[in-house]
Amino acid sequence: MNQEDYIIELQDVNTIYEGEKTPAIYNINLYVQHGEFISVIGPNGAGKTTLLETINGILPYTSGYGSIFGKEIKKYKIEIRKDIGYIIQNFDIDPLSPFLCKDIVMTGRAGKIGLFRFASKNDWKAVWHSLGLVGMIDFAQRPIGKLSGGEFQKILFARALVQEPQLLLLDEPFSNLDLSARQNIEKILTKIYHKRKITILMVSHELRSIPKECSRIIVLDKGKIIMDGDREEILSSEIVHSLFHNGGCCHD
Amino acid sequence: MAVVVMIDIAIGLLIAPVLGATLAGFVCSTMGVFVVRMNLASIGYCMSHAAFAGAAFGVMMSIDPLISAIVFSFGTALVLGPLAEKARLESNVIIGFLFSVMIALAFIFLNLIPGQAASATALRILWGSVFAVKTNDIMLLSVLSIILVLFIAIFYKELISIMFNRKLAESVGINAKLFYFAVLFFTGFAVSLSLRLVGGLLVFALIVNPTSSAYQFFYDFKKIMIFSPIIGVISCLIGLWLSLVTDFPIGASIVIISALIFAISIVISPKRKKGICR
């Protein structure tokens, strides 16, 4: 396979936080093709969020080589981020936040529209389309702080989708959600995956929140990829069972 | 005839304070929208004391205290952002640090100023004065107002994105750091230029109060962006009138009016009534 065919390519990547000596992730070798749906699992502190932030360039890697869409992360981080949808973990929202849902969805498109340009009719069309995809059109004019956890998560999904991303990075998108909200979001995720054929990398610390569409699982532990393979192969492995309590949450 | 001339003179004398109050209210409460959202309300008094230290320095060196006040405020604005980033501390901690340094510098400069009259000039910058506003201040405030309107209109989508969440803004390719520094820089500018009128001790109230009042009414950032400066300008104009009528210090009058508006806003806020969302 040619290098250009990889959506994500990480070679011997190490990421060390400023002021620390031990890398948060190290010797990371990861190759992801277009259209793959991958789950990254591992205990708390395994480096899952660090991996996502290294991929979208928010956190600069200390050594190794990384490229997204065939472009070196360090050199083109601002450019590549325009095509990466990102949902961050445990987002607490102030109930009095002065923002309407439609405006928050539009913020996902800010990078794509570019500096010195205004949102066009087409950009707003994309906002309404994304809100429709997640079933939140009726919430467009609502204040963001007034939403429930599940509704808020759907708005964050719409925000990521309005970018029309090639790659979607999801950091524990089901955390803090009740069962029905979780199933609802999972349905949306499945719909988006089939409809848009995008590449998805989803971080999770629970085996039960791995969607059916996910075909490949990566296991991270203490900053290192300890397993990378087919869903069935990984889920039946002894190592994964020892890391997780009966398919539930992962322990350290 | 003499009465007409006197009225003309009075109106002439009033034009500068009215324009100054309107523009100071506009620039301070416009920047307030960002400052309050970024949890940097204490930046106001840090900047104003930096300006005071600058004014004391100016008097000591026999240069225009406003120029040195602007330089010190700018310096603080420029140092604050990178220092908070470098030290990996909350901006409010760095603001507290810079605040104490500026107070210390101001005391040293005041101590070095020969004669009480000169010290009084520096101190006047802390209180503010209706008739201290000069044509130059109005020109600069007008230029800053135009720059702010353009800055917000052109970069509205970037600013709203950063105000919602800095990390998410960065994740779509926005240079959040640059806009954060720009907000600090313009706040420094707004505070420095409002000093002569409102006074250093109270200028931060003009940054915080109108925005806090606007927050009581709306959930829409755009509406807060429009109404905060309107409330700021109204506070300044009523404050100016109160000062002229009662001979109260102008800064104090403006703060009392803006605080009253804030108190009334809290009482009548639709956000506290059930079933209303704006």
Side-chain angles (χ1 to χ4, degrees):
Chain A
M1 177 163 283
N2 295 325
Q3 275 200 339
E4 298 83 53
D5 294 330
Y6 291 121
I7 291 282
I8 300 172
E9 187 186 0
L10 300 180
Q11 286 174 16
D12 300 321
V13 163
N14 297 304
T15 303
I16 305 175
Y17 283 98
E18 205 178 88
E20 288 184 20
K21 285 179 182 166
T22 328
I25 50 171
Y26 67 102
N27 290 347
I28 299 291
N29 286 290
L30 177 66
Y31 301 90
V32 177
Q33 286 171 257
H34 174 77
E36 279 195 272
F37 190 146
I38 301 172
S39 279
V40 181
I41 59 170
N44 291 329
K48 304 186 294 289
T49 301
T50 308
L51 177 65
L52 291 196
E53 291 190 352
T54 302
I55 289 172
N56 71 6
I58 285 182
L59 212 53
Y61 51 86
T62 329
S63 61
Y65 172 82
S67 80
I68 307 294
F69 316 128
K71 292 172 184 160
E72 191 180 347
I73 301 173
K74 277 190 177 164
K75 218 170 172 182
Y76 298 99
K77 62 181 177 192
I78 297 281
E79 204 183 317
I80 61 171
R81 276 184 210 160
K82 291 173 185 172
D83 287 310
I84 302 177
Y86 184 40
I87 295 185
I88 61 178
Q89 187 187 7
N90 290 336
F91 195 121
D92 283 329
I93 186 89
D94 162 22
L96 293 178
S97 272
F99 304 103
L100 301 180
C101 293
K102 66 178 174 70
D103 292 330
I104 294 306
V105 176
M106 179 54 101
T107 63
R109 219 168 154 83
K112 202 146 206 158
I113 296 170
L115 276 175
F116 299 104
R117 287 170 192 267
F118 298 101
S120 66
K121 270 185 184 170
N122 278 341
D123 294 313
W124 280 108
K125 234 185 227 175
V127 167
W128 292 108
H129 181 69
S130 293
L131 281 166
L133 264 177
V134 299
M136 291 293 282
I137 283 192
D138 293 343
F139 288 74
Q141 301 286 353
R142 296 252 190 111
I144 192 88
K146 297 284 174 191
L147 305 184
S148 69
E151 289 162 350
F152 180 60
Q153 200 69 350
K154 285 186 200 171
I155 291 295
L156 288 186
F157 261 95
R159 183 191 174 279
L161 292 176
V162 81
Q163 267 181 272
E164 293 165 1
Q166 294 184 51
L167 172 64
L168 202 53
L169 302 177
L170 312 171
D171 198 351
E172 309 224 10
F174 305 125
S175 60
N176 299 333
L177 295 184
D178 60 31
L179 187 65
S180 83
R182 177 191 301 223
Q183 286 170 339
N184 208 327
I185 298 278
E186 199 180 319
K187 252 187 222 168
I188 292 165
L189 190 59
T190 309
K191 189 163 96 179
I192 294 159
Y193 177 64
H194 287 303
K195 204 167 176 175
R196 299 228 173 145
K197 296 275 175 238
I198 50 181
T199 313
I200 299 177
L201 203 68
M202 189 182 100
V203 155
S204 172
H205 74 288
E206 289 178 330
L207 290 181
R208 62 171 172 256
S209 52
I210 297 174
K212 289 183 194 87
E213 279 65 28
C214 167
S215 53
R216 179 177 163 196
I217 296 176
I218 290 166
V219 186
L220 264 181
D221 192 26
K222 297 186 180 82
K224 201 175 175 201
I225 294 179
I226 56 167
M227 293 184 85
D228 180 354
D230 284 346
R231 177 198 176 92
E232 307 309 325
E233 176 198 334
I234 301 283
L235 289 181
S236 57
S237 119
E238 279 299 317
I239 300 169
V240 169
H241 278 279
S242 71
L243 276 173
F244 287 82
H245 290 295
N246 302 321
C249 288
C250 195
H251 61 81
D252 291 311
Chain B
M1 184 66 185
V3 174
V4 174
V5 171
M6 278 178 76
I7 289 172
D8 279 350
I9 292 169
I11 290 174
L13 278 174
L14 271 179
I15 287 175
V18 168
L19 277 176
T22 306
L23 292 167
F26 177 80
V27 293
C28 285
S29 46
T30 298
M31 290 321 294
V33 177
F34 303 110
V35 167
V36 169
R37 179 68 202 159
M38 288 156 79
N39 269 335
L40 294 176
S42 48
I43 197 175
Y45 60 76
C46 179
M47 295 276 187
S48 51
H49 286 81
F52 174 58
F57 179 77
V59 174
M60 187 183 83
M61 303 299 287
S62 303
I63 52 173
D64 184 349
L66 187 71
I67 292 172
S68 49
I70 291 175
V71 170
F72 270 60
S73 282
F74 266 0
T76 309
L78 290 177
V79 166
L80 176 58
L83 198 60
E85 298 269 332
K86 198 79 192 158
R88 300 254 159 207
L89 287 170
E90 281 281 317
S91 295
N92 273 325
V93 177
I94 301 297
I95 288 172
F97 159 76
L98 287 173
F99 171 69
S100 54
V101 170
M102 287 304 159
I103 288 275
L105 284 177
F107 287 161
I108 291 169
F109 296 147
L110 279 180
N111 202 39
L112 292 172
I113 295 172
Q116 284 190 341
S119 314
T121 311
L123 283 170
R124 211 171 295 136
I125 290 205
L126 273 183
W127 318 131
S129 162
V130 174
F131 299 108
V133 183
K134 293 179 179 169
T135 319
N136 268 354
D137 302 343
I138 291 171
M139 291 283 284
L140 286 170
L141 277 166
S142 308
V143 170
L144 178 61
S145 302
I146 294 166
I147 291 174
L148 286 186
V149 169
L150 290 175
F151 173 69
I152 294 165
I154 294 171
F155 300 114
Y156 184 73
K157 64 180 189 309
E158 283 83 9
L159 289 167
I160 194 174
S161 193
I162 295 163
M163 293 302 130
F164 174 59
N165 184 281
R166 190 172 162 174
K167 202 182 222 180
L168 279 179
E170 281 174 354
S171 81
V172 292
I174 293 171
N175 191 341
K177 198 188 276 183
L178 193 69
F179 284 99
Y180 176 72
F181 290 170
V183 166
L184 293 180
F185 181 75
F186 284 133
T187 307
F189 213 156
V191 167
S192 314
L193 297 181
S194 308
L195 280 179
R196 267 208 240 264
L197 185 77
V198 189
L201 274 182
L202 297 171
V203 72
F204 71 91
L206 196 52
I207 290 181
V208 175
N209 294 1
T211 302
S212 305
S213 304
Y215 264 76
Q216 301 307 313
F217 292 96
F218 307 109
Y219 282 108
D220 184 349
F221 194 71
K222 201 178 275 171
K223 287 180 183 165
I224 292 174
M225 204 69 253
I226 293 167
F227 279 89
S228 176
I230 290 176
I231 296 170
V233 169
I234 290 172
S235 303
C236 279
L237 290 177
I238 300 178
L240 175 64
W241 168 80
L242 185 70
S243 169
L244 290 171
V245 172
T246 60
D247 208 22
F248 291 163
I250 172 95
S253 306
I254 289 173
V255 171
I256 293 296
I257 296 297
S258 65
L260 270 177
I261 294 175
F262 179 48
I264 294 167
S265 306
I266 290 176
V267 174
I268 62 170
S269 164
K271 283 190 174 181
R272 286 174 179 78
K273 288 177 184 145
K274 285 179 181 169
I276 299 174
C277 288
R278 294 194 188 189

